[in-house]
């Protein structure tokens, strides 16, 4: 799960924190474009790559209704708590 390089780990944490706070505040999941903008990523393709890796690491799951919806897993919440 921790095979990310430091820069990728920082971006991953930004994405996870953003997704949790966005869902709490907005009552819905952010779009890929919104996630990328929040993380300072330049393209939706780059953002999608991060999201795919995070699904593979067990930090996100994809919605059953729409494959574009991503949800933070309990593993990710625990990781964020440990990171502080």
């Amino acid at each position: 799960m921790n095979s990310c390089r430091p820069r990728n780990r920082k971006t991953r944490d930004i994405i996870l924190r953003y997704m949790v706070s966005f869902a709490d505040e907005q009552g819905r999941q952010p779009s890929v474009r919104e996630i990328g903008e929040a993380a300072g990523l330049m393209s939706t393709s780059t953002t999608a790559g991060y999201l795919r890796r995070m699904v593979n690491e067990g930090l996100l799951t994809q919605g059953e209704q729409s494959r574009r919806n991503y949800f933070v897993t309990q593993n990710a919440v625990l990781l964020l708590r440990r990171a502080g």
Side-chain angles (χ1 to χ4, degrees), residues 19 29-31 61-71:
M19 290 181 71
Q29 298 303 310
S31 69
T61 59
Q62 286 185 286
E64 292 188 20
Q65 298 288 328
S66 172
R67 302 301 283 167
R68 293 182 183 192
N69 285 341
Y70 292 88
F71 300 89

Side-chain angles (χ1 to χ4, degrees), residues 19-40:
M19 290 181 71
V20 169
S21 67
F22 187 96
D24 285 346
E25 293 170 11
Q26 301 291 323
R28 66 175 180 87
Q29 298 303 310
S31 69
V32 173
R33 187 174 306 276
E34 289 168 328
I35 293 167
E37 288 174 4

Side-chain angles (χ1 to χ4, degrees), residues 8 16 29 38 55 61 73-74 82 84:
N8 291 345
L16 290 174
Q29 298 303 310
V55 167
T61 59
T73 66
Q74 190 61 33
R82 279 183 273 167

